[in-house]
Amino acid sequence: MHRALLLRKRPHTPPKRGYYIELVQQPKPKPVNLPLDHVLIEMRASALNHRDVWITRGLYPGIRTDSVLGSDGSGVVVSSPASARPTSKLLQEGDEVILNAGVGWGEDEEVPALDFGVLGLLPQTGTFQQFLSVPRSLVYPKPAHLSFAEAAALPLAGLTAYRAVFSKGAVREGSRVLITGIGGGVALAALQFAVAAKATVFVTSSSEEKLSRALDLGATAGYLYTKSKSPSSSSSSSSSS
């Protein structure tokens, strides 16, 4: 048996109300029962995303009770079927790995397939459990310089930010980028990607502390939008100069 966090719903409650999380004991996945293209991971860390919060509040599409929540995580390979081994060293037992939460994106890089899903809502299981069986295509080596907790927080926010900055925004050296609401995971990842690409980055926030952190990470200037209602006010700007 192993522990997992499941999404439940109290009976006789409105459609978007009554959801809660329950810690349950479930049968541990057995290596002999794994699909041929799956890898069994012992989870060492799982990350909480706003997606998980929205689901528990009934504010996310396609909610299904009895889902194991959690989209991000990192861990150690416990078992990998022989058919999954030949092409990649990372699929060996004992390897430290992170997970790509997106399942079945499809062949078109511009848009996902109609059956695209994300770990953490049925029919996809989630990372808030001790052992997780996932397709080998979702498993990647954990960066050696990151702890399990740091690596677990990377994939969903990181991939979202990367797609926004490069796939959609086409940011390159010399680009001028505005990131609103700096401080969240996606925004901070986007800032670091854009800075690494040698773009000039401006940020906004309602927090002086978050603006200061953004400047430390390479933002050129920041705007404290709660200080003045005038968008043209320069007195509420912060810069590294």
Side-chain angles (χ1 to χ4, degrees), residues 77-197:
V77 175
V78 173
S79 179
S80 177
S83 62
R85 292 182 181 180
T87 60
S88 179
K89 180 180 177 181
L90 70 91
L91 295 176
Q92 300 301 310
E93 288 87 345
D95 283 341
E96 298 179 351
V97 295
I98 59 175
L99 304 175
N100 175 4
V103 183
W105 179 273
E107 299 299 323
D108 191 338
E109 292 187 5
E110 291 298 319
V111 294
L114 292 177
D115 60 350
F116 172 73
V118 177
L119 296 180
L121 269 183
L122 288 172
Q124 311 301 334
T125 191
T127 61
F128 293 173
Q129 55 186 316
Q130 289 180 286
F131 293 89
L132 172 64
S133 171
V134 292
R136 60 178 177 175
S137 60
L138 305 184
V139 182
Y140 293 84
K142 179 181 78 67
H145 67 285
L146 297 179
S147 68
F148 281 108
E150 291 168 337
L154 177 62
L156 196 61
L159 287 173
T160 301
Y162 184 93
R163 182 169 173 78
V165 172
F166 298 113
S167 300
K168 294 297 185 179
V171 172
R172 57 189 183 277
E173 184 175 354
S175 295
R176 294 166 66 87
V177 178
L178 172 65
I179 300 175
T180 60
I182 197 67
V186 174
L188 286 172
L191 167 61
Q192 293 174 84
F193 286 145
V195 169

Side-chain angles (χ1 to χ4, degrees), residues 46-47 49 51-52 68-72 118-121 125-128:
S46 299
N49 287 285
R51 176 178 187 259
D52 303 300
V68 177
L69 295 184
S71 303
D72 281 331
V118 177
L119 296 180
L121 269 183
T125 191
T127 61
F128 293 173

